[in-house]
Amino acid sequence: MNKTLLVTILASTLTLGASVVNAAEDTTTTTEQSSSYSKHKDGKGGKHHGKSHGKRSGKSGHGMKRMIKKLELTEAQQAELKTLREEQKAASAPLREEMKALRTEMKALDTSSANYDGQVAAIADKKANLTRQTFILKSSARQKFQAVLTAEQLATMKEMKENRKGKRGGKGKMDKGE
């Protein structure tokens, strides 16, 4: 449970940053995609009917507020966790920017180029390295996060994870060891 909650918090932090980065990309593709989806009489977008389908919908602090309440975190713990989140966000920002640059680089490749496969392999290597760095950063943040909690809070977090597993039927990203 500790790992899942921590990963959830870390993922929230990274997702928030990634959504900001991806927002610029999404706005350019939204106009292209909107013509392929039918509009409904109530004005909601076509295929997904206005649902977020896994994307964050502006409730970035909701999970943290619930965790603070459930784990009964002290003011000092809350302050320390906030500092850790800010440090982690600052540390991951350059990685997100590099990942964005790789996506741009990949889109710019000429598929008819003679060395296309080599260029793709080079980008894949760069992406693998960034993914590795991100994984290490998340693991370090998880360790720092858990160090702030008491044994009782860690047990409560584990219980929360198990409850979430049950609600999802054992399915989901967190259940795959991430």
Side-chain angles (χ1 to χ4, degrees), residues 74-93:
T74 65
E75 292 293 325
Q77 286 176 313
Q78 291 177 45
E80 193 170 348
L81 291 179
K82 182 177 181 180
T83 302
L84 288 173
R85 280 193 317 272
E86 290 169 357
E87 289 172 357
Q88 198 269 340
K89 184 178 177 181
S92 65

Side-chain angles (χ1 to χ4, degrees), residues 5-89:
L5 185 57
L6 178 60
V7 170
T8 301
I9 292 167
L10 294 174
S12 298
T13 303
L14 289 175
T15 303
L16 181 60
S19 27
V20 171
V21 170
N22 290 330
E25 292 178 350
D26 289 346
T27 55
T28 58
T29 58
T30 303
T31 54
E32 297 166 6
Q33 292 173 349
S34 63
S35 61
S36 66
Y37 295 118
S38 64
K39 290 280 183 180
H40 293 277
K41 63 184 174 188
D42 62 358
K44 293 189 176 178
K47 190 174 183 177
H48 297 297
H49 307 287
K51 295 180 183 176
S52 65
H53 292 282
K55 293 188 178 182
R56 299 189 63 69
S57 57
K59 298 180 182 180
S60 60
H62 181 69
M64 183 55 81
K65 287 178 186 175
R66 184 177 44 208
M67 185 191 68
I68 289 169
K69 184 178 176 182
K70 290 260 188 185
L71 296 179
E72 298 174 356
L73 298 176
T74 65
E75 292 293 325
Q77 286 176 313
Q78 291 177 45
E80 193 170 348
L81 291 179
K82 182 177 181 180
T83 302
L84 288 173
R85 280 193 317 272
E86 290 169 357
E87 289 172 357
Q88 198 269 340
K89 184 178 177 181

Side-chain angles (χ1 to χ4, degrees), residues 113-164:
S113 173
N115 62 345
Y116 178 75
D117 290 338
Q119 292 172 336
V120 170
I123 292 172
D125 289 342
K126 291 178 191 175
K127 183 174 179 177
N129 186 40
L130 287 174
T131 301
R132 180 181 183 278
Q133 290 176 39
T134 302
F135 184 82
I136 291 169
L137 184 66
K138 286 179 183 181
S139 297
S140 173
R142 181 181 310 116
Q143 182 183 31
K144 290 175 185 175
F145 174 83
Q146 289 181 353
V148 172
L149 301 179
T150 65
E152 182 179 285
Q153 289 168 330
L154 288 169
T156 302
M157 205 164 72
K158 183 177 182 181
E159 183 180 317
M160 290 166 65
K161 176 186 172 187
E162 293 303 318
N163 289 340
R164 265 197 324 276

Side-chain angles (χ1 to χ4, degrees), residues 97-112:
E97 287 300 317
E98 287 183 53
M99 199 65 87
K100 180 181 177 182
L102 285 178
R103 286 190 298 271
T104 303
E105 189 178 338
M106 183 66 195
K107 289 177 185 178
L109 290 180
D110 179 11
T111 57
S112 62

